[in-house]
Amino acid sequence: MEEKKLDVKSIIGFVLIFGILIFMFYQNQPTPEELEAQKAEQARVEAAAKQAEEAKNDSAPIKQAQAIDLADSTAVANYKSAVGAFGFTQASEGTTTLENEVLYLEVSNKGGQIVEARMKNFVTFDSVPVYLVKEGNANFALNFSTSDNRVLNTGDLFFEPTLSKNGDNQVLSMKAKVADNQFLEYRYEMKPDEYLLGFTVRSQGLNGVINSGKPITLEWDMKGIRHNKSVQYENRYTRLTYNHDDGNISKLSESSDLDEETEEDVKWLSYRQHFWSSILASDNHFETAQLSSKNLVEDESKETRFTKEYSTKAPLQLQGGELSQNMHWYYGPTDVKVLDDYKELGLADSIPFGWGIFGWINRYVFTPFYGMLSSFLPFGIAIIVMTIIVRLVLSPVTYKSYLSQAKMKVLKPEITEINEKYKDNAMKKQQETMKLYNKAGVSPMSGCVPALLQLPIFYALFMFFPTSFALRQKPFLWAEDLSSYDVIFNLPFTIPFYGDHVSLFPILASIAIFFYMMMTTGQSMQMQQQPGMPNMKFIMYLSPIMMLFFFNNYASGLSLYYFISNLITIFIMLAIKNYILDEDKIHAQIQENKKKPKKENRFQRKMREMMEQAEEQKKTGKR
């Protein structure tokens, strides 16, 4: 069968098709009146969509305490009547600030909870400070019953703040008092230059106030604030992760509209927002926890403010009629270098390194290796150097793969002869082909094995680049942020599955992948092409296009890696072809192998016997 090539006529055909499409678009373009009508309709639709989006995002699924007018004596009296004994605390609005070199927190008197958490050394893609808690997006409270049959929520209570020092640490005590020596206390302790705070919930003298026969429930709700230019990309790595007391890590779905689970023995909970995490960890595990994650992102809208809505409900146990729960808050980057400082809590396990061996390679090989390279090289150059080293390490695998292809190429004339000789007998053709492979010492699957060996590397790097905090907002050439997509041109419209922009690194990577596949896959596909089957070389052209669409919204660092990786592989294969492998010697070696008696292994013998039986049954049936 003559192989079709891209000749001048084919090129002219493509040009004519393109010209016809352009002409059709020109002929069918709308009139000025139609354009004005379309613009008016589009403006109306966009206004309605924006209004709906704002209503969706600004609605308050996070329950907040109801504000009271402290200047209104009636309102204050009603408050004290509602909270009963806890009305002893003077109702006073206000916040107390805790801050160190890296973290700024505000704790409200109302509810005693953190109402603002800001990173001091980081900004978002549009240069706005990174907030994890702001303007009521989060709520932390306890629900409990009192001995006089009131059901209270600490979000409705006023706490009395006391700020002190414990060595270099700042200590904030927030007390909701029943009397001077009877209170519910939230105690925050902030260390210098750390994102982790000590947090204790305890009570004193409340064993006759709190109804121990009713459950006490911790509630923590939060809506993840958007920080990236692509909200869909950020949302892909925004997820509720939790650690069981036995060390196992579990996650709620990152893609479903709503995922709910009830878990046991939960050690910590992470509300991850891609590169940022809000984590609540307990020294003593929560016996049970009701968890939920709701997706708030519907499309790539610039108006979307939040990614996911998280919720946790966990019962707390009384000890001698009192509360005593030692916990920790973490507000900070999802960075392995930072989270590894808290090994006793195992917070680094909240980072999505990947599953099984893939995650192990990512965490213990690529992450520290890239960290070492980027400590003395520019971040983009560090990716290129890491790529070169990875490809050199895998070059023996590349050699094995290309050697297998060279052997198959040498056998192609004989395979073609078998195909022609037994073109009407598929079973016999397969039997004779396998016999030829066995005599020549060639396995058609030997080229696949090296590719499979590279899969752990491929997947580990696929997880490394989008989740590596070290790459966040690090520029290289035209890419402003190696952890996000690069943009060389913004489109005035959105292409489904592609986006509203053009990224150059994915284009370069797709071109390199195409040439790599031409060198590796093209020949083997043509040799294994079966009559009557569609031309498998179509896959060779389709794969780079699929990669182009997929990588257009992915981390530019990943596209840079694949571009350089495939470029290096092409050069290695050219060197192997022109300077290492000799097809004449391979052919001679195969002919020598065919002369030697070959001992069948058990699998080969079984396959041969099955084919012979099938052939015999076919002959018997014809008689």
Side-chain angles (χ1 to χ4, degrees), residues 587-600:
H587 184 268
Q589 182 63 48
I590 288 177
Q591 298 308 316
E592 286 296 320
N593 290 341
K594 289 165 67 175
K595 296 176 183 177
K596 297 176 183 178
K598 275 286 184 180
K599 184 178 179 180
E600 291 180 320

Side-chain angles (χ1 to χ4, degrees), residues 47 57 88-89 165 236 252 280 377 407 437 488 501 530:
N57 286 320
F88 179 86
T89 303
K165 283 277 192 176
R236 190 178 301 150
L252 295 189
L280 178 61
L377 292 173
K407 289 180 178 180
Y437 287 152
I488 58 168
H501 64 276
Q530 298 295 326

